Amino acid sequence: MEQKFIRLLKVMAALVTLCWAGSALADPRIALVIGNSAYGSVTALDNPANDSRLISTKLEKMGFEVRLLTDSTQVEMKRAIAQFGRDLRKGGDQSVGLFFYAGHGVQSFGSNYLLPVDVSLSDPADLDLMAVEARSVLHQMASARNKTNIVILDACRNNPFEELADMDDNGLAEMKAPTGTFLAYATDPGGVALDGDTGNSPFTLSLATHIEEPGMPIEQLFKKVRVDVLSQTRGLQTPWDTSSLTQEFSFSPQQTPVPSFETEDLAWGAIKDSEDPVQIMLFLRAFPDSRYAKLARTRLQHVMANSFSETLTNPEPEPVEEAPQVAAVQDPATPEVDDTERLMFDLAASDDTVNAYQTYLDSYPGGVFADEASERVAALELEAQTVTRKAEAQVAAPTAAEQPGDVVTLNGRLTFGNDGILGKTIAELVRGSPHFPPIEGLPEALWKDQTCSGCHQWTPEALCVQAQTYAANPSSASVAKSHPYGGDFKVNLRYWAEGGCLE
């Protein structure tokens, strides 16, 4: 029994890990990458365009939606930064924003400027008219109010305006960034970064080398970059970073060797012929509303019946004792429990649904836990009936305060519901975090501040299909079933489906 339990816990832990590993990349990742090499009026640089293409390729592998600009003018840079801000705002508060710049950068009166390829400067007073202030990127990020932003500046290769008065400062000045921002510079404040003689700068090359290391926190990543660059430049260049991040971030999630349940079709295909009741129960747990659920329960009963029959016809042989032993005294009040029966009941108790308990009762109608399972079924059915009666009453005679507005859309603000959903959109909520654990007793570290969409494949199309089941039968058990956002969210989904799942 102990070995079976250990195996079960490993499988369940792997399933939960898979769920959150998926959600780690479910949040939108949006990047703007700019590399300027072909300057007209100032010294041209060999590598920034190469650096930007290298980083762009790496970020795309890490799940970022990347917009790449090379050798861009001031107008092109400003338009791209403005669009970057719009994309972040559209992405929601869970999105990750990243800005990478390689090229000339200068500071003047404590402000940092990124130089477009068409910059032409004869007087320092014109700098803010001819260049792009780095702080404008931070302003766009701050306006999005998302929780994680990253700015990487591989600039300050040299000062192209040393001959101009008031423009003799080297490098960039250290910037103050909004909470939730990680700032990385190719070199320390006031220092000069090397362009490199291998096709890429030492800073960008090291970053590209380490960025795909699984599970590496961003702080540790840039420590490795710093060590590399110090070694390669013999101490002449010290990469610098500053952080106000409020949550953990790594470019590549920790790889965990767990089953790949990408869709319920693949999951069902993997276990439909299984003789292992644990795998079938885990499928029902992961996809409780699956169109294969009835088939899975039938398969489970068949497997359990075969297992029970085999136990009767082929009992395990008694172990041969080498020497007489004193038999342990069995408490007559404590019945023996079959390992598989206990496993089935524990899974049912973990799910805590009528279907799960009924599956146990169908397999063990006179089982040790039958009375407890029957009592819990009665309690759950009573709760469902109470919720259903309330839902039916609202459907029969809803008041203005008890129903959504005339039209519920995917991106429209909800005007009905509890405080957790009121004023938010359906699109925002499916990327948000549950209000309580999806599995009772699950440690907060595994669900708090995580997102729901990683486990549920909540695409608009899939969500519409689910919402249509609520609209088709508002009194069904699926409507009465509890939800991480509360029953009001399902009511809104029903109205959304009835209106045609409009965006």
Side-chain angles (χ1 to χ4, degrees), residues 327-336:
V329 178
Q330 175 73 30
D331 184 353
T334 305
E336 293 184 2

Side-chain angles (χ1 to χ4, degrees), residues 289 466 469-470 473 476-482 490:
D289 299 320
Q466 185 64 44
T469 65
Y470 304 150
N473 189 2
S476 68
S478 63
V479 176
K481 192 176 176 182
S482 62
K490 290 189 175 183

Side-chain angles (χ1 to χ4, degrees), residues 88-402:
L88 279 180
R89 290 188 288 273
K90 184 179 179 181
D93 61 0
Q94 296 297 322
S95 61
V96 176
L98 184 144
F99 177 79
F100 175 91
Y101 173 81
H104 276 306
V106 298
Q107 64 164 303
S108 178
F109 296 101
S111 295
N112 294 323
Y113 294 89
L114 313 178
L115 303 188
V117 293
D118 61 344
V119 67
S120 180
L121 192 67
S122 58
D123 192 295
D126 296 334
L127 185 60
D128 58 347
L129 303 176
M130 305 298 296
V132 176
E133 190 172 4
R135 187 160 293 277
S136 64
V137 178
L138 298 178
H139 289 164
Q140 292 292 332
M141 289 176 160
S143 73
R145 302 185 185 277
N146 56 316
K147 292 185 178 179
T148 303
N149 286 303
I150 302 161
V151 176
I152 304 172
L153 301 177
D154 191 356
C156 47
R157 309 292 174 107
N158 56 55
N159 184 355
F161 304 123
E162 287 182 327
E163 72 280 1
L164 298 180
D166 300 323
M167 287 293 295
D168 54 357
D169 290 331
N170 285 324
L172 298 180
E174 189 168 5
M175 297 186 292
K176 292 184 179 180
T179 301
T181 306
F182 188 92
L183 282 167
Y185 307 83
T187 190
D188 55 319
V192 175
L194 302 181
D195 193 33
D197 55 8
T198 61
N200 293 105
S201 77
F203 176 79
T204 293
L205 191 58
S206 176
L207 175 58
T209 300
H210 297 296
I211 197 171
E212 294 185 73
E213 295 185 28
M216 180 177 291
I218 189 171
E219 296 85 357
Q220 184 65 32
L221 166 64
F222 279 93
K223 284 181 183 177
K224 285 197 170 187
V225 172
R226 185 177 302 118
V227 171
D228 286 352
V229 174
L230 280 168
S231 175
Q232 293 169 19
T233 65
R234 298 182 180 181
L236 296 177
Q237 180 179 335
T238 305
W240 200 263
D241 58 68
T242 181
S243 174
S244 62
L245 291 178
T246 58
Q247 55 188 17
E248 298 295 326
F249 178 82
S250 61
F251 285 95
S252 178
Q254 183 67 49
Q255 295 176 355
T256 306
V258 297
S260 180
F261 289 143
E262 295 177 356
T263 68
E264 68 179 67
D265 291 337
L266 290 176
W268 173 245
I271 63 95
K272 66 179 182 178
D273 298 321
S274 174
E275 296 293 333
D276 185 350
V278 175
Q279 294 297 327
I280 302 171
M281 284 293 291
L282 287 174
F283 173 83
L284 289 168
R285 182 191 186 91
F287 303 100
D289 299 320
S290 169
R291 62 185 181 277
Y292 303 115
K294 185 176 180 179
L295 291 172
R297 285 191 288 271
T298 301
R299 179 66 185 170
L300 181 61
Q301 292 176 25
H302 173 75
V303 169
M304 294 304 301
N306 287 346
S307 176
F308 182 67
S309 175
E310 183 179 350
T311 300
L312 290 179
T313 57
N314 299 297
E316 293 183 3
E318 294 292 333
V320 178
E321 298 181 359
E322 296 181 358
Q325 295 182 0
V326 178
V329 178
Q330 175 73 30
D331 184 353
T334 305
E336 293 184 2
V337 183
D338 176 77
D339 292 349
T340 307
E341 180 187 353
R342 180 180 292 278
L343 183 63
M344 289 278 291
F345 180 77
D346 286 337
L347 283 169
S350 180
D351 279 352
D352 199 33
T353 64
V354 171
N355 285 335
Y357 286 115
Q358 194 59 55
T359 300
Y360 164 78
L361 289 170
D362 290 343
S363 302
Y364 295 94
V368 175
F369 308 106
D371 289 342
E372 186 176 348
S374 298
E375 291 176 2
R376 187 57 186 151
V377 166
L380 289 171
E381 287 178 341
L382 179 61
E383 291 174 9
Q385 290 171 6
T386 302
V387 174
T388 299
R389 282 196 296 269
K390 290 182 178 180
E392 289 174 340
Q394 289 183 356
V395 171
T399 66
E402 295 175 329

Side-chain angles (χ1 to χ4, degrees), residues 13-155:
L15 191 61
V16 172
T17 302
L18 170 69
C19 180
W20 296 130
S23 68
L25 293 180
D27 301 330
R29 290 183 161 199
I30 302 165
L32 173 60
V33 177
I34 300 176
N36 289 339
S37 291
Y39 288 92
S41 300
V42 298
T43 307
L45 297 171
D46 293 332
N47 296 326
N50 296 336
D51 293 335
S52 64
R53 284 189 284 265
L54 176 60
I55 291 300
S56 178
T57 300
K58 294 291 184 178
L59 291 176
E60 287 175 347
K61 288 184 179 180
M62 300 298 102
F64 279 86
E65 181 182 337
V66 181
R67 183 176 186 185
L68 170 64
L69 275 72
T70 57
D71 297 331
S72 48
T73 65
Q74 184 197 45
V75 171
E76 291 170 339
M77 288 179 65
K78 287 189 173 183
R79 284 178 178 172
I81 292 170
Q83 183 61 50
F84 177 55
R86 287 192 290 270
D87 292 341
L88 279 180
R89 290 188 288 273
K90 184 179 179 181
D93 61 0
Q94 296 297 322
S95 61
V96 176
L98 184 144
F99 177 79
F100 175 91
Y101 173 81
H104 276 306
V106 298
Q107 64 164 303
S108 178
F109 296 101
S111 295
N112 294 323
Y113 294 89
L114 313 178
L115 303 188
V117 293
D118 61 344
V119 67
S120 180
L121 192 67
S122 58
D123 192 295
D126 296 334
L127 185 60
D128 58 347
L129 303 176
M130 305 298 296
V132 176
E133 190 172 4
R135 187 160 293 277
S136 64
V137 178
L138 298 178
H139 289 164
Q140 292 292 332
M141 289 176 160
S143 73
R145 302 185 185 277
N146 56 316
K147 292 185 178 179
T148 303
N149 286 303
I150 302 161
V151 176
I152 304 172
L153 301 177
D154 191 356

